[in-house]
Amino acid sequence: MTMTETTGSAAGQPANQGSTPARTGLAPDSAAPYTVPQPPAVIDADVWPSIATVPTSLKALVAGRGADAIFKAAVRRLPLEVRYPDGTVLGRAAVPGQSHPVMTMNRPEAFAARLGDGGLIGLGESYMAGDWDADDLTAVMEVFAARVGTLVPEPLQKLRALYLPRQPRRERNTEQNTRSNISRHYDLSNELFASFLDSTMTYSSALFPESGDALRTVAWDGFAAAQQAKIDRLLDKAGVGQGTRVLEIGTGWGELALRAAARGATVYSVTLSSEQQELARQRVAEAGYADAVSIELKDYRAVEGEYDAVVSVEMIEAVGYEYWATYFQTIERVLAPGGKVAIQAITIAHDRLIATRTSYTWVHKYIFPGGVIPSVRAIEEITEKQTGLRVRERLAMGDHYAQTLRLWEERFMSRADEVAATGFDAIFQRMWLFYLCYSRAGFETGYLDVQQIVLDHAASKRAAGGPGSNPRS
């Protein structure tokens, strides 16, 4: 999966033991609630400058009143309850026998000021600060995600480019910047990621054997196998077997390289995360594949050589839309005749990509600096117009990502004490929970999807369907 502002990426203070009693959310497959940490009474401004102090600029105060009015007008027509300290409850009335998710305003004025100052960045920051809470954060975020294009009146949407911040130049994914962007997320600490990932240390969507209603209740004990099934399908589609020369763009913590090596392949894997490189190399050595797998700290653009298969899992999101052509041109350059490419990519509808590709969001500021999620159309158009690669197959599996995120959320929250003991404070934990729930809501509503995409050279014969076909599997 493709973080934080510079001052927010370091370990913060431990959670405040004397904080306000936490609200709880019930995990779907557990009778016990998890506890959401509450912010300390005094937030460390050196670590969390945007969270410690409520914006008081003229812009924040004036825009805050406008943002508050827009928010309240939107909420009145949403299937949501927004409860204010004075007893006011906003939201569309529920029909008998049903209930709506509840969003509880703890500090309405601070919420409005943050929303006015930073737009949707302020929505996330106000949650981190404790200005509002939710018993079921994912359900609340689903309400917004399902209507993201209509929450703000259309005339005001046209002004967003004038008002909302744009991505800083220092976060564009040039060869000079990319290492820093990647490090701010993936180098937080291997211990943090180990606290919520399964034994394979795989940080991308699993592919479960279940479907339909059964998929919504998948449990932790089948998680590792589902992650390996995802990897195996990609390796199968790329034709990885005995003697295959594999390039992996984006190492993760090494599980794909291990499984490719177990098939008899030789693997050259590149990453920009020193923490991932260290643990991945350790895992490879312990498994006895050090002679078959090389893991280097290198930008994908600097890769040389020729490979029979190129595999890349949820790395394109970190490339930046200005560099998607470079990404695929690099793959084309190193792909041997007759070779295959298998990537896994989070995707978004093309109209949303066009509307948001230059925006600077809460996710950019706190989670993935420089990241942009592509659309399937963008991938197909770029490869067709700027490379000799062609998309041959696609598998959409966004519902599997929603459950992957649910399992990560439950695991992360069940280990809150362990996370705090490694130095990640209550603000960080609320930030991470917001990130997991925000992402899950995107997949639950279909705003986001994830695809396994198979490509090869344009001149290659298609396995089935003949010229012009685009089979789904």
Side-chain angles (χ1 to χ4, degrees):
M1 195 169 187
T2 312
M3 138 166 224
T4 62
E5 57 187 338
T6 303
T7 53
S9 61
Q13 296 178 341
N16 187 341
Q17 300 302 316
S19 58
T20 304
R23 302 180 188 280
T24 58
L26 286 173
D29 59 357
S30 172
Y34 61 66
T35 300
V36 179
Q38 291 295 296
V42 178
I43 297 171
D44 189 337
D46 291 332
V47 178
W48 303 106
S50 298
I51 309 304
T53 305
V54 178
T56 56
S57 66
L58 181 61
K59 171 192 173 184
L61 295 176
V62 174
R65 285 193 285 269
D68 189 48
I70 293 171
F71 175 78
K72 288 177 177 177
V75 164
R76 287 188 176 94
R77 62 180 190 273
L78 298 180
L80 181 71
E81 276 191 26
V82 181
R83 299 177 180 174
Y84 287 82
D86 64 1
T88 300
V89 178
L90 299 181
R92 195 174 71 202
V95 300
Q98 293 184 348
S99 60
H100 292 329
V102 176
M103 181 178 183
T104 301
M105 288 292 177
N106 301 321
R107 293 185 290 273
E109 295 81 8
F111 172 81
R114 293 185 198 274
L115 205 62
D117 188 61
L120 290 179
I121 293 177
L123 179 68
E125 289 183 336
S126 61
Y127 181 80
M128 292 165 64
D131 297 335
W132 64 276
D133 273 296
D135 286 352
D136 187 338
L137 181 56
T138 298
V140 169
M141 297 310 298
E142 282 182 36
V143 172
F144 295 132
R147 300 158 180 83
V148 68
T150 60
L151 291 174
V152 176
E154 188 171 352
L156 294 179
Q157 289 186 38
K158 296 177 181 179
L159 300 176
R160 61 181 293 153
L162 300 174
Y163 173 74
L164 295 178
R166 298 173 73 87
Q167 291 193 28
R169 293 188 64 85
R170 67 180 181 276
E171 293 184 4
R172 293 182 181 176
N173 284 294
T174 63
E175 291 187 60
Q176 294 75 30
N177 296 342
T178 301
R179 175 74 188 276
S180 173
N181 286 346
I182 293 296
S183 180
R184 281 167 58 187
H185 185 76
Y186 294 100
D187 287 344
L188 283 168
S189 109
N190 286 337
E191 290 75 18
L192 170 69
F193 288 100
S195 72
F196 68 93
L197 298 180
D198 66 273
S199 59
T200 69
M201 287 294 289
T202 307
Y203 189 38
S204 51
S205 178
L207 181 59
F208 299 95
E210 292 85 357
S211 61
D213 290 342
L215 179 60
R216 302 190 66 81
T217 57
V218 291
W220 184 265
D221 57 7
F223 199 12
Q227 289 288 13
Q228 291 173 335
K230 170 269 302 295
I231 292 170
D232 289 343
R233 187 181 187 280
L234 286 167
L235 295 178
D236 288 345
K237 291 296 181 180
V240 176
Q242 184 69 39
T244 305
R245 299 167 298 172
V246 177
L247 169 65
E248 181 186 22
I249 300 177
T251 306
W253 284 274
E255 185 69 15
L256 188 146
L258 285 170
R259 296 191 74 75
R263 294 179 176 215
T266 57
V267 183
Y268 184 66
S269 185
V270 295
T271 179
L272 288 175
S273 166
S274 55
E275 289 269 324
Q276 287 189 332
Q277 182 195 39
E278 180 182 0
L279 182 54
R281 281 180 167 178
Q282 178 185 325
R283 295 182 71 208
V284 165
E286 290 174 351
Y289 293 119
D291 292 339
V293 178
S294 299
I295 301 172
E296 299 297 336
L297 210 59
K298 181 179 289 187
D299 190 284
Y300 70 92
R301 288 164 281 209
V303 171
E304 299 292 341
E306 184 177 80
Y307 303 90
D308 306 305
V310 179
V311 186
S312 187
V313 180
E314 294 181 29
M315 187 273 180
I316 190 174
E317 304 89 346
V319 167
Y321 81 92
E322 308 104 312
Y323 300 99
W324 287 338
T326 302
Y327 172 77
F328 285 111
Q329 288 165 355
T330 300
I331 291 174
E332 179 188 19
R333 173 172 56 81
V334 301
L335 186 65
K340 290 190 174 182
V341 181
I343 70 172
Q344 184 162 305
I346 299 171
T347 61
I348 194 170
H350 193 68
D351 63 331
R352 296 309 304 164
L353 167 64
I354 298 303
T356 63
R357 64 187 177 182
T358 61
S359 299
Y360 185 61
T361 68
W362 181 88
V363 172
H364 291 122
K365 185 174 181 178
Y366 290 98
I367 308 297
F368 296 116
V372 180
I373 295 173
S375 66
V376 170
R377 177 176 165 184
I379 291 173
E380 292 180 335
E381 288 183 350
I382 287 169
T383 53
E384 288 177 5
K385 294 177 181 178
Q386 302 196 50
T387 78
L389 299 174
R390 295 295 180 268
V391 173
R392 304 306 193 192
E393 298 182 30
R394 290 195 289 112
L395 172 71
M397 44 190 268
D399 49 350
H400 291 255
Y401 219 148
Q403 301 313 310
T404 297
L405 284 154
R406 172 177 64 81
L407 291 172
W408 287 344
E409 172 197 336
E410 293 169 6
R411 184 79 159 186
F412 178 74
M413 296 309 298
S414 72
R415 295 188 165 189
D417 291 344
E418 177 183 323
V419 172
T422 59
F424 293 95
D425 65 8
I427 305 298
F428 181 94
Q429 291 184 46
R430 289 178 70 91
M431 177 190 77
W432 205 261
L433 176 62
F434 188 85
Y435 152 55
L436 294 174
C437 293
Y438 178 96
S439 301
R440 181 180 162 199
F443 290 103
E444 289 280 14
T445 59
Y447 182 81
L448 298 176
D449 202 350
V450 64
Q451 311 261 344
Q452 287 194 349
I453 302 173
V454 182
L455 308 95
D456 61 21
H457 290 295
S460 299
K461 296 281 188 182
R462 303 188 186 193
S469 66
N470 188 23
R472 303 293 187 260
S473 66

